[in-house]
Amino acid sequence: MSQNIDYKFVLQSQGFEFKKGLGQNFVFDTNLLNAIATDADIQSSDTVVEIGVGAGSLTNIIADRASRVVGFEIDKRLQAVHKLTIQRDSVEVKYKDFLQLNDNDIVSFGVYKVVANLPYYITTPIIFKLLESNNPPKSITIMVQKEVANRIVAKPNTPDYGVLTASVALRCQATITRKVSRAAFVPQPNVDSAIVRLDKLHCSNLNATNITKLIQAAFGNRRKMLVNNLVSNYSISKQKAQQALIQLGLPITIRGEALSVQQFVDLYNIISNI
Ligand code: SAM
């Protein structure tokens, strides 16, 4: 069991210095780490991929519950720390930049869940890498900056609703499972956090990647009407864009932020068929 390891002491004994540029804000609070694992609903048969192993505090909690853990850590200085903190056969740590993995690497995980306290500077690229891969995880449970969590679960016609919200909603259901104070991290960052769980991930036959391009175009300039954003950013004529909105039963003056994800899907289908 992982409860008795003094991670701070091990880091200090190895002369470890945190690198802000790598998003190194670690969590040692066992209650919080267990809560993350509980929110992720880890089963004893699960393979869990963890992105950003840090000192190994979350890794060990996951390993207590899962059959196998594949951890990724970009910072090779932590290898010496892991020799002291992670000593179990079910855990394999790869010292690689997760964003550099190719699809074959991700396919090699088999069926898996992702659980991570993500480095904040690359939260969105990591989410997209997982969602757009041809082997998406069964679920993703991640600690992210609170503002990003709010954007992921936002509703149309709110300031937080945007490309991130809609592209995530195209592929899965998102829930904030709990808020986490900045005081839970070492060193303490300037922002609070939240745990987000993404479920029912699918490589949809919806052509999510192309629909995401339409959504990106629709939010190109939030103050512009949707029609004008589509003309500028999606290479279609004003007439075609207006015709599509009329077919959808929407006012031609509508802004992108007013459309639900389903309406974006319908808009994509109509534009593709005009
Ligand atoms: N899981 C640990 C915890 O909860 O204490 C550490 C979390 S810390 C927020 C993020 C970790 O991700 C750091 O250890 C950092 O070095 C690592 N990291 C940053 N960029 C990475 C990347 N591109 N690929 C893999 N790991 C990365």
Side-chain angles (χ1 to χ4, degrees):
M1 293 289 281
S2 45
Q3 261 73 348
N4 299 323
I5 302 166
D6 186 340
Y7 293 96
K8 277 190 210 167
F9 175 80
V10 176
L11 287 166
Q12 271 166 10
S13 72
Q14 297 301 306
F16 182 80
E17 287 184 9
F18 292 91
K19 276 196 188 160
K20 202 175 171 189
L22 290 178
Q24 291 183 335
N25 302 99
F26 294 177
V27 172
F28 304 123
D29 174 345
T30 312
N31 289 334
L32 174 57
L33 296 166
N34 272 306
I36 298 172
T38 300
D39 290 351
D41 189 26
I42 299 170
Q43 304 295 317
S44 54
S45 57
D46 282 342
T47 293
V48 174
V49 171
E50 186 196 8
I51 301 151
V53 170
S57 52
L58 180 57
T59 322
N60 279 322
I61 297 278
I62 298 168
D64 286 343
R65 304 183 184 212
S67 132
R68 176 178 163 235
V69 185
V70 184
F72 287 87
E73 177 51 63
I74 199 169
D75 189 348
K76 292 196 173 70
R77 295 177 307 154
L78 285 162
Q79 209 162 353
V81 171
H82 297 159
K83 289 212 170 87
L84 300 169
T85 59
I86 307 175
Q87 297 156 330
R88 42 218 298 178
D89 294 340
S90 62
V91 178
E92 182 188 1
V93 180
K94 295 177 190 270
Y95 297 92
K96 283 185 180 171
D97 177 348
F98 187 80
L99 287 177
Q100 296 301 320
L101 296 193
N102 60 36
D103 248 342
N104 287 341
D105 297 325
I106 295 184
V107 166
S108 75
F109 299 152
V111 177
Y112 68 107
K113 291 176 178 168
V114 167
V115 182
N117 170 16
L118 285 184
Y120 291 165
Y121 73 109
I122 44 169
T123 302
T124 312
I126 287 178
I127 293 175
F128 277 98
K129 186 163 187 87
L130 293 166
L131 294 183
E132 289 177 349
S133 102
N134 54 19
N135 183 28
K138 264 168 82 182
S139 65
I140 301 177
T141 305
I142 41 178
M143 179 112 77
V144 300
Q145 195 177 323
K146 191 181 78 189
E147 287 72 17
V148 175
N150 289 339
R151 278 167 49 209
I152 292 175
V153 302
K155 299 277 176 266
N157 272 324
T158 63
D160 282 333
Y161 184 69
V163 176
L164 180 61
T165 326
S167 339
V168 168
L170 267 179
R171 299 164 169 103
C172 49
Q173 270 178 8
T175 333
I176 293 182
T177 57
R178 65 187 82 221
K179 304 265 168 71
V180 179
S181 157
R182 66 192 73 184
F185 296 82
V186 179
Q188 187 174 311
N190 296 327
V191 290
D192 291 316
S193 290
I195 300 170
V196 176
R197 179 164 162 160
L198 306 181
D199 267 299
K200 298 209 174 107
L201 274 66
H202 45 261
C203 294
S204 62
N205 48 13
L206 271 181
N207 206 342
T209 306
N210 283 344
I211 301 172
T212 301
K213 285 186 188 141
L214 173 72
I215 293 169
Q216 277 164 341
F219 282 98
N221 180 339
R222 289 183 80 106
R223 291 211 297 262
K224 274 194 189 173
M225 290 191 298
L226 174 57
V227 164
N228 293 333
N229 268 325
L230 293 179
V231 171
S232 313
N233 310 320
Y234 201 65
S235 310
I236 73 168
S237 69
K238 191 162 190 164
Q239 192 199 8
K240 199 170 163 181
Q242 288 179 335
Q243 192 188 331
L245 289 181
I246 291 166
Q247 253 179 272
L248 261 176
L250 295 172
I252 56 171
T253 52
I254 201 165
R255 292 192 181 157
E257 64 190 19
L259 268 67
S260 67
V261 174
Q262 186 55 51
Q263 285 172 319
F264 276 119
V265 174
D266 295 342
L267 179 64
Y268 174 81
N269 288 333
I270 289 173
I271 289 176
S272 308
N273 290 320
I274 288 179

